[in-house]
Amino acid sequence: MRDMTMVIGANLANGAGNLTLTPLTPEQELATRVRLSQALQMSLDPAEVLNSFYKHIQTAVSVSGVLFKSATQYADVKIGRECMHHCDYRLTTDEGYLGEIIFSRSKRFAENELITLEFLLSSLIYPLRNALRYQSAMRLALLDPLTMLGNRAALDTALRRELQLAERHQSDLSLLMIDADFFKRINDDYGHHRGDLMLCAIAKGIESVCRGSDIIFRYGGEEFVVVLGKTNLEGAKIIAERIRQHIEQTHINHNGKLIGTTVSIGIATRHPRKKEHINDLFDRADAALYQAKGNGRNCVVSSDDLVVER
């Protein structure tokens, strides 16, 4: 593996190259790099930055496929097709490791092509770093810093999307509003640190019960929301009851003493053949939650179970 610091390191699984090539002149390389640098500044989406890089380098080095494996939580980016011969580069700035980029094609890379690739990669590394930083900042802006669940801004976006999909495909959609019972007592009796630990335990408990397709948010304070796509009322009741039972059995330790809590849950399900606003779902789920509190807490109530007098 080659190492270049600001920079890049390379690993060849390529073999010796014997292609007949016409190397770029220094002027052509410089012109390519200028055009490339300008193009890479046009987006803060890592996938778009990599796509632009892939397209612009073709005039200098023919490449069939590019794979970027990020060192962060950003998903891998695959462009083109993977071929037998490849060269791998570790992208590292003075601030840390960004990830690995792999170029591949059916013919072996020649040494002068690798030199050109490394020359052009120096134009990619900082635009890519900036794009990854931006995506990370955007992701963190949509997370609750305590529980690392989605926050209210993320909930609004996700619920609008899920409601539109449900209406378009006439599929089921349910919403759970979950509130910890008598949570103020934990803060008052054991301190806010223990209260925070309990909130994290509740969040993990909800995650452990929910399916991979369910989307979980901390709505604020001790309140959580779960969006259940393609889930009817009966399915939502089953999941809500599992959450209630799991939290009832969840405890944290305080000086050898186990502290527990319970939750009340309100359910609202999208009305079929009726266009709804997200506020309609929220209002009905909130009314059901209020009724659950009135029923003595530690229970599940659906908005369809409520009797509304007109």
Side-chain angles (χ1 to χ4, degrees):
M1 178 163 291
R2 298 181 182 177
D3 261 331
M4 303 165 55
T5 312
M6 114 173 155
V7 172
I8 17 195
N11 176 37
L12 252 49
N14 177 39
N18 294 309
L19 297 177
T20 302
L21 300 165
T22 305
L24 296 180
T25 66
E27 293 77 12
Q28 289 172 323
E29 279 194 344
L30 182 58
T32 300
R33 183 167 179 176
V34 169
R35 289 194 300 270
L36 180 59
S37 297
Q38 292 173 341
L40 297 181
Q41 302 296 331
M42 300 301 291
S43 175
L44 284 171
D45 181 335
E48 290 183 8
V49 171
L50 288 161
N51 264 290
S52 182
F53 181 78
Y54 171 73
K55 291 175 182 177
H56 278 78
I57 66 173
Q58 298 296 336
T59 58
V61 181
S62 178
V63 173
S64 298
V66 173
L67 173 63
F68 175 68
K69 298 180 178 181
S70 175
T72 69
Q73 293 183 343
Y74 189 82
D76 293 350
V77 178
K78 184 177 182 180
I79 306 166
R81 69 182 189 279
E82 184 178 358
C83 296
M84 178 184 300
H85 300 286
H86 61 90
C87 54
D88 310 351
Y89 290 87
R90 289 173 53 86
L91 304 184
T92 307
T93 70
D94 51 3
E95 299 170 7
Y97 176 53
L98 295 183
E100 181 181 8
I101 190 167
I102 303 169
F103 301 96
S104 67
R105 69 182 190 188
S106 58
K107 296 180 179 180
R108 295 175 177 176
F109 290 89
E111 184 65 25
N112 61 332
E113 289 182 302
L114 297 175
I115 293 171
T116 299
L117 266 180
E118 292 169 5
F119 175 76
L120 296 176
L121 271 172
S122 62
S123 296
L124 170 67
I125 192 165
Y126 286 111
L128 182 58
R129 180 205 62 180
N130 294 340
L132 290 169
R133 273 184 180 175
Y134 177 77
Q135 293 299 320
S136 178
M138 290 296 292
R139 186 181 67 84
L140 290 175
L142 297 175
L143 290 179
D144 169 57
L146 177 63
T147 62
M148 298 307 289
L149 297 176
N151 59 20
R152 291 183 67 164
L155 169 62
D156 185 65
T157 300
L159 188 53
R160 288 179 190 276
R161 181 186 66 245
E162 293 297 317
L163 190 55
Q164 288 173 356
L165 287 172
E167 289 173 348
R168 183 180 307 143
H169 300 290
Q170 286 302 298
S171 57
D172 294 313
L173 177 68
S174 296
L175 185 74
L176 307 183
M177 293 196 74
I178 306 168
D179 190 77
D181 299 324
F182 302 114
F183 188 76
K184 186 175 183 296
R185 292 180 183 176
I186 296 177
N187 283 333
D188 291 346
D189 294 347
Y190 304 104
H192 286 276
H193 176 63
R194 286 294 180 273
D196 287 348
L197 292 178
M198 180 59 75
L199 289 174
C200 291
I202 292 172
K204 289 180 180 178
I206 296 172
E207 285 184 301
S208 70
V209 171
C210 286
R211 306 161 300 183
S213 59
D214 302 331
I215 317 173
I216 310 165
F217 306 88
R218 183 184 177 196
Y219 190 61
E222 61 270 22
E223 198 165 19
F224 301 83
V225 171
V226 182
V227 179
L228 306 173
K230 298 180 180 179
T231 305
N232 60 19
L233 178 57
E234 291 309 309
K237 284 182 176 179
I238 292 171
I239 295 172
E241 182 59 26
R242 287 174 180 169
I243 292 172
R244 187 199 66 77
Q245 292 178 9
H246 187 92
I247 301 305
E248 188 177 31
Q249 298 168 8
T250 296
H251 298 83
I252 61 171
N253 188 288
H254 176 65
N255 296 331
K257 179 179 179 180
L258 294 180
I259 307 169
T261 189
T262 60
V263 294
S264 300
I265 304 177
I267 304 174
T269 301
R270 185 184 80 87
H271 286 147
R273 298 179 299 279
K274 179 181 178 182
K275 188 173 182 62
E276 290 189 296
H277 189 272
I278 58 174
N279 290 341
D280 299 326
L281 274 175
F282 264 105
D283 289 345
R284 289 192 285 114
D286 191 54
L289 175 61
Y290 183 80
Q291 185 60 55
K293 294 289 189 181
N295 288 355
R297 296 176 169 81
N298 192 24
C299 62
V300 176
V301 173
S302 162
S303 63
D304 287 13
D305 299 331
L306 302 180
V307 177
V308 181
E309 298 184 358
R310 299 289 182 186

